[in-house]
């Protein structure tokens, strides 16, 4: 097996163009499992873990750039102002996995159980992909094309993800049978966009890919309107409306029964987590408003 | 390099019995220099690998090994057609094929083994062996297996054994009856060290096998006939064991590696990966239990009626004894004057089951403790009070008719357990969210949390029962070392990580008054140590070492008397601090009398036991008992059905704690394993196939699942064994699962009659398990106790 270890993005993209069969490796926490189980035997590996261009965390004009090679451990430390993303990073694996695993790898694997993905969905992020031909931005709704499939071309690398800094509280929650180090049975991320008076919610592990819940989003924005909570964080939103929000979110799930959990439980968990997430977001705004 | 560590003993310098002496294997393990079975290496060795059946039941039409042999580096492929001698082996019955012959009975059964120059080539070769199967109907449910029209899994049908215990008048009338149905899933021992060994052909035509195991001599008894050698030409050496819990009682890669090594004349190493390990050893028996418990209005138990099924899987392993244990302990550690207990172990096309920590008592404890809580509720009695009223004690008669003659401080264990401090009750909203149910998942801020408390009480035998002549041999040598006298201990008793060898060193220090003790690696150069299981080695190997030390001491003191003349000794002579004392007068260093070493070899037997008769009765089926109690405090997120155990408080009856910290470790580790069974750990089978053969989906407790354990011991010496010490390895495992289940019921008000409990059940999305009624009693010729351990 050949191993390429480029030291710049440019060099890496040239390797990618010349050797499309070379599989990129970042933290290796997904890829090495595949190799160890003999599910994959690539002829060549392209190590992207030392590319400085992928290590960037940038903020400019309200836009945030997160390099594909940034690890979960760094996200927890350096993106505390993004509670949803930091919480998602904290739910990933164990300290060892968080020290190695990257968001780029999560995007590369494109698993419906990838914990950073529901958060990137509610940030409505763009994936920045590059090849020797140039750079393109892939809108979130076009990036995940199916279970473990993304829109990356064979000669491209993921360089970063970008989004507009959210204006409002957000969270990520994940249910698993075990209290840590567990693959999600269901994951929910919610983000309030106060300026646009919108709520975005995304579900993980309850469908072939990450799912948004547009009906719930519209309903949620509506009940905040009706109760006046957009304008006045202290305004009460009725409990039954929050419950209804949860149910609508769960209705967007397309879960299956598997060894990790039942479809019925997954749907139920989505309803509970979505309701709690919106409740917390309102609580957090109330608290911030004093 | 690991090879250098083969056969080298570990030494420790300080700590008599009763002290928490440092582990002699502690530093090497912490530093990573300890050689486990998977670290073995030998010049020129080949790597073995196993071809396994993907079908739970099939006829083998043909096997074509040519494509595998054509691959680079592949040296040999063996199938059943190549076996040189006996073709079956087994712990109790020789019913397990070395390699499948014509039929496969479970998914994962070995069909061929091969050796190649490197592990990668061996893996490729496994995939290249072409086996043509004709799938046959598979029996994958233990009740279905008992139906008259079920296909026969084995030549003797589907009933492995039936045990019937009839005690008093089973139709006795009671004021109050409670009824329950219980299920236990299939737990895996999940030792961190996988099955591993290295077979080295010897110039004398024999073979040396270095292997991670629990019982060298039992392995050898099974290996030798299958490789066609006399036992003395099959020499076993213990390779470092990374946990066992029953998983290493059976032969795994042993025979395969020896066959390959002997046929190739080269060393062959075999190490299972984690996935293969799930197929490479037996698991805990899944159980279905129907129980009816009757009591007088004042809470005095009148009758226990229990019907239980244990699933043996495709082969026997230790199923017959696990069943006997489950039956003899089915009524719990309570005085029950009348009982009818009927147990059947059943063959199916699921993976074989056998020994696992607790050995049948874990499953029945889950049931009898749920019954006791139901009874307490029905009587309006405090659950602790009910248990105290009925707990057995010395002199109590058990359902087998056995009178407990040794120590049985069950009541004290219960009382001490109930008195252990409760955990602080900080409101969930004020706590670190990692400590809430759901842990790192960030699923709550303390809403919808309910706390529950549960108690469980259980007991189990120590060492082997039912008439088996259980023994351990030890050789002890005392000689002059560089800085003082050194004692060297040699046994075949295996250290599996529980601390046995440290305890043996402590015994030698105590008996011989020396500091430095070397414990040699166990091997078959000495007589059997018996199995490191059944909580027996502190008693058995400890007994053998204590006895051998006593003989060494006698011989040494005889030398002293000889050297000083018979009149020199005024007081009793004794050994302490490396010196010989005459009363309080030091006579000089022990060294002084060690111009030549003093040696002794002794075999320790425990009191004889007796088999069960046709009515499940016996004078003395078990030699001694350990009692354990545990209180669990849990929190449940009642909406999400997620749980976190807040505290486990356990008390164990240990006779005498030879190494208190070691005992504490056993209590904590056993509690963790019980927690796993209560909430997480289950081998999930789909049509006979293991669906979660990895640690990604076979979930073991993490540090966020395992709460602090508060523990205490009751020291009530057992008569007739050294220091009065009993075993300590299993007590907390037996009760932890039952205690946690009780606490979960307390928190949720739900029935929860199956473990592991699922989030669906805790959240009320899935109902309790139901049954169409007790399984019919099979029509088999009586409850023969078929024990053939040799
Ligand atoms: C024990 C354990 C626990 C885990 N727990 C979790 C968990 O809780 N939640 C979770 O979401 N995941 C979990 N994972 C999976 C894994 O850690 C994550 O998916 C992680 O984000 C992968 O990142 P990586 O850098 O290690 O990826 P790698 O394994 O290096 O790569 C993953 C895939 O992405 C591709 N890739 C990587 N970087 C790029 C790039 N720049 N451009 C194009 N393609 C690229 C690779 O070719 C590969 O196909 C766990 C894994 C393990 C082993």
């Amino acid at each position: 097996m050949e191993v390429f270890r480029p030291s710049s993005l440019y060099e890496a993209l040239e390797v990618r163009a010349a050797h499309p069969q070379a599989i990129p490796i970042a933290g290796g926490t997904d890829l090495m499992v595949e190799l160890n189980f003999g599910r994959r035997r690539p002829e060549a590996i392209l190590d992207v873990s030392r590319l400085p261009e992928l290590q960037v965390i940038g903020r400019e004009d309200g836009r945030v750039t997160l390099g594909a090679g940034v690890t979960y451990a760094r996200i927890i430390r350096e993106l505390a102002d993004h509670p949803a993303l930091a919480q998602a990073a904290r739910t990933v694996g164990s300290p060892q996995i968080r020290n190695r695993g990257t968001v780029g790898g999560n995007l590369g694997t494109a698993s419906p159980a990838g914990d950073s993905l529901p958060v990137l969905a509610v940030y409505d992020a763009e994936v920045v992909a590059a090849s020797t031909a140039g750079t393109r931005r892939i809108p979130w709704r076009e990036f995940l094309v199916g279970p473990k499939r993304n829109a990356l071309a064979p000669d491209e690398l993921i360089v970063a993800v970008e989004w507009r800094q959210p204006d409002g509280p957000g969270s990520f929650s994940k249910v698993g049978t075990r209290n840590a180090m567990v693959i999600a049975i269901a994951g929910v991320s919610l983000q309030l966009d106060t300026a646009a008076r919108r709520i975005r919610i995304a579900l993980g592990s309850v469908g072939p890919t990450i799912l948004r819940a547009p009906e719930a989003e519209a309903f949620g924005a509506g009940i905040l309107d009706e109760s006046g909570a957009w304008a006045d964080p202290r305004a009460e939103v009725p409990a039954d409306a929050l419950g209804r929000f949860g149910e609508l979110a769960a209705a967007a799930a397309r879960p299956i029964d598997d060894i990790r959990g039942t479809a019925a439980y997954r749907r139920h968990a989505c309803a509970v987590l979505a309701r709690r997430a919106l409740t917390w977001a309102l609580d957090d705004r109330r608290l911030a408003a004093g | 390099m690991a090879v250098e560590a083969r056969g080298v003993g570990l030494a420790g310098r300080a700590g008599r019995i009763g002290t928490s002496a440092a582990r002699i294997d502690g530093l090497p393990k912490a530093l990573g220099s300890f050689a486990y079975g998977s670290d073995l290496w030998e010049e020129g060795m080949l790597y073995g690998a196993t071809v396994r059946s993907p079908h739970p039941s099939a006829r083998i039409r043909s096997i074509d090994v040519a494509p595998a042999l054509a691959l680079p580096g592949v040296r040999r492929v063996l199938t059943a057609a190549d076996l040189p001698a006996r073709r079956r082996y087994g712990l109790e019955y020789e019913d397990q094929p070395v390699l499948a012959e014509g039929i496969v009975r479970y998914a994962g059964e070995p069909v061929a083994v091969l050796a190649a120059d490197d592990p990668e080539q061996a893996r490729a070769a496994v995939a290249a062996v072409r086996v043509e199967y004709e799938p046959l109907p598979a029996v994958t449910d233990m009740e279905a297996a008992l139906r008259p029209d079920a296909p026969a899994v084995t030549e003797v049908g589907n009933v492995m054994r039936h045990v019937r215990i009839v005690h008093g008048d089973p139709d006795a009338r009671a004021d109050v009856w409670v009824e329950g149905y219980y299920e236990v899933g299939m737990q895996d021992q999940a030792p961190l060290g996988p099955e591993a060994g290295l077979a080295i052909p010897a110039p004398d035509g024999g073979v040396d096998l270095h292997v991670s195991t629990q019982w060298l001599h039992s392995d050898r008894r099974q290996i030798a006939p299958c490789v066609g050698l006399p036992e003395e030409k099959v020499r076993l050496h213990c390779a470092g064991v990374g946990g066992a819990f029953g998983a290493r009682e059976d032969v795994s890669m042993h025979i395969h590696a020896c066959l390959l090594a002997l046929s190739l004349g080269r060393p062959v190493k075999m190490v299972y990966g984690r996935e293969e390990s799930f197929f490479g050893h037996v698991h805990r028996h899944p159980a279905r239990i129907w129980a009816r418990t009757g009591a007088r209005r004042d809470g005095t138990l009148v009758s226990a009626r229990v019907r239980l099924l244990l699933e043996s899987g495709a082969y026997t392993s230790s199923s017959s004894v696990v069943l006997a244990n489950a039956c003899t302990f089915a009524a719990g550690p309570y005085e029950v004057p009348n009982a009818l207990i009927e147990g059947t172990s059943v063959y199916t096309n699921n993976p074989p089951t056998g020994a696992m920590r607790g050995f049948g008592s874990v499953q029945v404890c889950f049931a009898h403790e749920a019954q006791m809580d139901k009874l307490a509720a029905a009587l309006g009695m405090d659950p602790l009070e009910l248990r105290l009223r009925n707990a057995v004690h010395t002199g109590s008669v058990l359902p087998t008719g056995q009178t407990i003659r040794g120590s049985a401080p069950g009541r004290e264990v219960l009382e001490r357990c109930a008195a252990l401090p409760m955990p602080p009750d900080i409101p969930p909203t004020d706590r670190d969210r990692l400590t809430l149910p759901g842990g790192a998942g960030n699923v709550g801020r303390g809403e919808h949390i309910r706390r529950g408390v549960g108690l469980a009480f259980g007991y189990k035998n120590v060492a082997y029962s039912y008439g088996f002549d259980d023994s351990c041999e030890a050789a002890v040598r005392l000689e002059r070392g560089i800085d003082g006298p050194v004692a060297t201990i040699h046994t075949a008793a295996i250290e599996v990580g529980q601390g046995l060898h440290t305890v043996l060193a402590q015994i030698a220090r105590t008996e011989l008054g020396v500091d430095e003790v070397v414990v040699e690696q166990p091997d078959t150069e000495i007589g059997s140590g018996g199995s490191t299981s059944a909580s027996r080695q502190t008693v058995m190997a400890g007994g053998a070492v204590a006895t051998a030390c006593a003989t060494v001491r006698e011989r040494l003191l005889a030398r002293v008397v000889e050297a000083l003349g018979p009149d020199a000794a005024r007081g009793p002579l004794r050994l302490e601090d490396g010196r010989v004392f005459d009363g309080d007068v030091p006579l000089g260093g022990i060294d002084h009398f060690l111009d030549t070493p003093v040696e002794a070899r002794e075999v320790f037997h425990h009191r004889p036991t007796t088999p069960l008769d046709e009515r499940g009765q016996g004078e003395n089926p078990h030699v001694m008992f350990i009692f354990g109690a545990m209180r669990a405090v849990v929190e449940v997120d009642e909406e999400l059905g997620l749980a976190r155990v807040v505290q486990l408080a356990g008390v164990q009856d240990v006779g005498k704690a030879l190494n208190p910290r070691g005992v504490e470790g056993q209590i904590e580790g056993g509690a963790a394993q019980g927690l796993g069974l209560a909430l997480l750990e289950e081998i999930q089978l789909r049509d006979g196939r293991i669906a979660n053969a990895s640690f990604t989906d076979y979930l073991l407790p993490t540090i966020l699942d395992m709460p602090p354990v508060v523990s205490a011991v009751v020291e009530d010496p057992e008569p007739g064994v050294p220091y009065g010490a009993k075993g300590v390895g299993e007590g907390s495992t037996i009760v932890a699962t039952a205690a946690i289940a009780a606490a979960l019921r307390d928190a949720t008000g739900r029935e929860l009659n199956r473990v592991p409990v699922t989030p669906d059940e805790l959240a009320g999305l899935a109902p309790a398990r139901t049954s169409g009624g007790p399984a019919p009693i099979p029509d088999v010729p009586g409850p023969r106790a078929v024990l053939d351990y040799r």
Side-chain angles (χ1 to χ4, degrees):
Chain A
M1 189 188 299
E2 208 172 344
V3 180
F4 298 99
R5 309 202 74 188
S7 52
S8 74
L9 178 61
Y10 180 77
E11 205 186 312
L13 294 174
E14 290 204 312
V15 175
R16 190 90 165 122
H19 307 271
Q21 83 288 358
I23 306 291
I25 186 167
T29 59
D30 274 325
L31 193 66
M32 288 312 296
V33 175
E34 300 269 295
L35 294 190
N36 289 338
F37 274 101
R39 288 190 206 122
R40 253 173 134 171
R41 280 292 127 122
E43 283 164 45
I45 276 184
L46 167 58
D47 179 9
V48 298
S49 69
R50 30 175 77 191
L51 307 180
E53 295 87 342
L54 270 53
Q55 300 301 324
V56 175
I57 296 181
R59 298 158 197 271
E60 218 181 305
D61 300 334
R63 279 194 76 79
V64 181
T65 303
L66 178 67
V70 176
T71 62
Y72 296 110
R74 272 188 71 197
I75 290 175
I76 296 169
R77 284 196 307 268
E78 299 175 39
L79 283 171
D81 62 336
H82 284 72
L85 191 60
Q87 284 162 4
R90 178 61 185 84
T91 74
V92 173
S94 58
Q96 295 91 325
I97 299 298
R98 295 194 289 276
N99 282 339
R100 291 293 303 170
T102 64
V103 169
N106 222 216
L107 289 163
T109 299
S111 157
D115 285 326
S116 74
L117 306 183
V119 181
L120 298 177
V122 298
Y123 289 172
D124 205 13
E126 288 176 339
V127 178
V128 183
S131 69
T132 45
T135 297
R136 66 173 176 136
R137 283 160 205 286
I138 310 173
W140 185 258
R141 61 179 185 285
E142 289 169 24
F143 182 73
L144 298 173
V145 295
K148 298 210 164 185
R149 283 190 299 127
N150 62 32
L152 213 62
D155 64 341
E156 284 179 322
L157 283 177
I158 303 166
V159 178
V161 254
E162 287 190 8
W163 60 85
R164 194 170 53 76
Q165 169 94 29
D167 167 32
S171 66
F172 175 80
S173 304
K174 140 175 157 185
V175 167
T177 313
R178 183 160 70 181
N179 285 319
M181 266 266 288
V182 67
I183 296 180
I185 296 177
V188 169
S189 184
L190 176 135
Q191 183 63 49
L192 247 57
D193 186 344
T194 312
R197 296 199 164 188
R198 288 197 53 184
I199 296 172
R200 286 192 293 271
I201 184 162
L203 316 175
S205 282
V206 291
T209 181
I210 306 302
L211 303 168
R212 289 270 294 268
E215 264 190 76
E217 292 180 354
F219 176 82
I223 58 175
L224 264 63
D225 262 337
E226 282 160 32
S227 57
W230 285 123
D232 176 10
R234 274 165 297 250
E236 279 297 327
V237 178
D240 59 342
L242 293 171
R244 179 81 190 122
F245 172 78
E247 280 157 27
L248 285 173
R254 283 150 56 201
I256 54 163
D257 286 325
D258 67 15
I259 54 161
R260 294 179 187 141
T262 63
Y265 178 78
R266 290 183 146 108
R267 197 180 287 285
H268 168 79
C270 285
V272 174
L273 292 178
R275 188 194 71 224
R276 288 186 184 180
L278 183 53
T279 309
W280 302 335
L282 298 176
D283 287 350
D284 289 350
R285 284 184 77 223
R286 208 170 290 133
L287 209 65
Chain B
M1 172 104 337
V3 65
E4 291 159 20
R6 283 212 315 259
V8 173
L10 291 166
R13 295 200 123 264
R16 298 160 54 101
I17 60 155
T19 69
S20 292
R23 288 278 293 262
I24 62 171
D25 52 345
L27 214 51
K29 282 179 176 168
L31 294 174
S33 62
F34 183 87
Y36 289 97
S38 48
D39 298 323
L40 293 164
W41 187 86
E42 176 77 9
E43 189 66 44
M45 73 181 187
L46 301 170
Y47 294 82
T50 314
V51 178
R52 294 177 184 274
S53 164
H55 301 287
S57 174
R59 183 165 292 121
I60 299 174
R61 281 233 193 85
S62 64
I63 306 179
D64 182 5
V65 302
L69 281 171
L71 291 175
V74 179
R75 302 287 171 159
R76 181 125 320 156
V77 185
L78 301 177
T79 69
D82 305 307
L83 296 177
R86 199 177 290 179
R87 316 166 84 81
R88 291 192 171 205
Y89 69 94
L91 214 45
E92 292 176 18
Y93 300 101
E94 282 161 8
D95 68 343
Q96 198 147 352
V98 173
L99 292 168
E101 277 183 280
I103 294 276
V104 288
R105 295 188 177 83
Y106 73 95
E109 180 159 359
V111 172
V113 286
L114 52 85
D117 292 351
D118 71 44
E120 183 77 22
Q121 291 169 333
R123 264 198 296 271
V126 165
V129 173
R130 281 203 207 113
V131 188
E132 206 190 327
Y133 296 96
E134 176 193 336
L136 299 172
V139 189
T140 55
D141 178 88
M142 57 181 131
E143 279 177 83
L146 286 178
R147 287 195 202 114
D149 59 342
V153 174
T154 74
E155 293 95 336
V156 297
N158 295 346
V159 176
M160 195 272 113
R161 184 182 179 189
H162 185 80
V163 168
R164 177 163 211 242
I165 295 176
V166 190
H167 182 62
D169 170 16
D171 296 319
R173 298 171 69 93
D175 296 333
V176 180
W177 287 96
V178 290
E179 233 173 289
Y181 168 66
Y182 306 93
E183 291 184 6
V184 178
M186 185 184 277
Q187 188 179 20
D188 187 53
Q189 300 88 341
L192 288 187
E195 290 75 5
L198 170 63
I200 307 173
D204 68 350
V207 63
D208 283 84
L209 176 67
H210 300 259
V211 68
S212 297
T213 179
Q214 289 177 247
W215 188 358
L216 294 163
H217 289 73
S218 153
D219 292 347
R220 179 167 74 168
R221 175 178 57 76
Q222 297 170 75
I223 298 165
C226 293
V227 299
L229 286 173
E231 284 199 5
E232 60 276 13
K233 287 208 167 173
V234 178
R235 291 165 293 259
L236 265 67
H237 313 265
C238 182
V241 180
F245 314 111
R248 296 182 210 276
E249 276 194 32
D250 293 76
V251 160
S252 59
M253 45 54 66
H254 310 44
I255 301 172
H256 297 157
C258 289
L259 287 172
L260 287 166
L262 286 166
S263 84
L264 286 159
R266 287 182 63 177
V268 174
K269 176 176 175 174
M270 292 185 84
V271 183
Y272 293 168
R274 178 53 55 190
E275 184 179 12
E276 186 170 23
S277 180
F278 277 94
F279 301 100
H281 61 252
V282 298
H283 313 288
R284 193 190 291 292
H285 289 79
R288 291 182 197 161
I289 303 173
W290 295 260
R292 251 168 79 75
T293 312
R296 288 213 302 261
R297 201 147 310 279
D298 66 359
T300 310
L301 290 177
V302 174
S303 174
R305 299 182 68 110
V306 182
R307 173 79 183 106
L308 66 92
L309 295 184
L310 295 184
E311 184 170 351
S312 171
Y315 295 102
T316 304
S317 180
S318 46
S319 290
S320 113
V321 194
V322 175
L323 176 71
N325 267 23
C327 290
T328 58
F329 301 123
Y334 305 109
E335 286 195 320
V336 193
N338 309 293
L340 175 62
I341 297 158
E342 300 245 23
T344 315
S345 61
V346 184
Y347 290 119
T348 66
N349 292 112
N350 285 328
T353 55
M356 184 174 173
R357 199 178 199 173
F359 209 79
S361 50
V362 171
Q363 293 92 330
V364 293
C365 186
F366 173 61
H368 65 64
E369 288 309 274
Q371 287 290 102
M372 289 303 273
D373 285 344
K374 276 192 185 180
L375 189 59
L379 292 165
M381 247 178 111
D382 174 57
L384 172 66
E385 187 53 43
L386 178 68
R387 287 170 169 87
L388 285 170
R389 169 181 287 265
N390 292 287
V392 292
H393 45 79
T394 305
S396 293
V397 179
L398 300 173
T400 55
Q402 173 169 17
T403 303
I404 304 182
R405 303 202 191 277
S407 121
R411 283 185 187 147
E412 197 182 337
V413 164
L414 267 169
E415 277 165 349
R416 291 277 300 279
C417 182
L420 287 173
M422 286 289 279
D425 195 0
I426 306 166
T429 43
D430 298 350
R431 251 189 280 149
D432 180 348
R433 287 179 195 154
L434 285 177
T435 69
L436 298 174
N442 189 46
V443 297
R445 293 184 171 181
E447 56 271 64
H448 296 281
I449 303 290
R450 279 170 170 267
R451 204 169 249 228
V453 182
L455 176 72
F457 182 40
Y459 79 142
K460 188 191 173 291
N461 56 332
V462 174
Y464 280 22
S465 299
Y466 314 117
F468 178 70
D469 180 17
D470 198 3
S471 70
C472 177
E473 181 166 328
V476 172
R477 187 174 70 243
L478 185 61
E479 65 200 321
R480 192 176 286 153
I482 296 166
D483 7 84
V486 182
T488 302
I489 298 171
H490 187 195
T491 70
I494 308 292
E495 163 76 56
V496 294
Q498 85 282 40
L500 172 70
H501 285 185
T502 302
V503 164
L504 298 184
Q506 289 178 259
I507 290 174
R509 286 188 202 112
T510 309
E511 296 298 324
L512 298 175
V514 300
D515 280 340
E516 194 167 342
V517 180
V518 175
V519 183
E520 290 183 339
Q521 281 291 352
D523 56 31
T524 48
E525 298 298 294
I526 188 164
S528 176
S531 181
T532 292
S533 62
S535 299
R536 66 181 281 290
Q537 286 296 26
T538 296
V539 174
M540 301 302 298
V545 169
T547 316
C549 284
T551 308
V552 166
R553 190 177 53 221
E554 248 170 63
R555 290 178 185 163
L556 182 81
L557 293 178
R559 268 188 204 183
V560 173
V561 172
E562 203 178 314
L564 301 180
D567 303 331
R570 282 175 298 263
L573 293 175
R574 58 194 177 85
L575 307 177
E576 208 175 307
D577 292 335
R579 290 182 294 173
V580 183
F581 286 84
D582 179 2
D584 289 334
V585 185
L587 297 179
I590 291 175
D591 277 58
H592 194 74
F593 302 94
L594 289 173
D595 286 342
T596 57
V598 183
E599 294 180 68
R601 186 180 281 246
E602 298 284 355
V603 180
F604 183 82
H605 296 259
H606 64 63
R607 290 190 301 272
T609 56
T610 55
L612 298 176
D613 68 14
E614 299 277 302
R615 292 167 64 83
Q617 301 293 293
E619 168 75 26
N620 230 6
H622 298 301
V623 63
M624 67 178 100
F625 302 92
I626 44 160
F627 295 82
M630 191 161 282
R631 185 190 63 209
V633 178
V634 304
E635 283 181 345
V636 177
D637 180 325
E638 57 174 347
E639 281 191 316
L640 287 172
L642 298 177
R644 181 161 192 276
V645 182
V646 176
Q647 185 204 50
L648 292 172
V651 175
Q652 207 160 301
D653 144 48
V654 302
K656 158 102 185 146
L658 298 188
N659 185 319
R661 199 197 293 140
V663 173
E664 213 177 302
Q666 287 299 303
I667 295 177
E668 293 182 4
Q673 215 150 17
L675 183 151
L677 179 58
L679 285 165
L680 300 167
E681 293 185 43
E682 180 172 12
I683 291 184
Q684 300 195 46
L685 294 164
R686 300 283 184 271
D687 303 321
R689 294 178 179 87
I690 299 179
N692 58 338
S694 84
F695 283 168
T696 305
D697 287 310
Y698 183 87
L699 299 179
L700 294 162
T702 69
I703 196 70
L704 273 187
D705 300 281
M706 187 60 198
V709 176
V710 188
S711 68
V713 298
V714 170
E715 295 188 301
D716 178 40
E718 174 72 20
V721 292
Y723 321 112
K726 302 181 182 183
V728 298
E730 295 170 290
S732 63
T733 314
I734 298 166
V735 285
T737 306
I740 292 166
L744 294 169
R745 288 184 200 110
D746 185 44
T748 60
R750 302 188 195 283
E751 193 174 336
L752 310 178
N753 61 344
R754 184 185 195 281
V755 282
V757 175
T758 66
D760 299 59
E761 288 157 347
L762 286 173
L765 297 179
R769 302 296 162 129
T770 53
S771 145
I777 306 298
D779 183 17
V780 288
R784 265 171 312 168
V786 245
L787 282 173
D788 185 23
Y789 274 114
R790 256 165 293 175

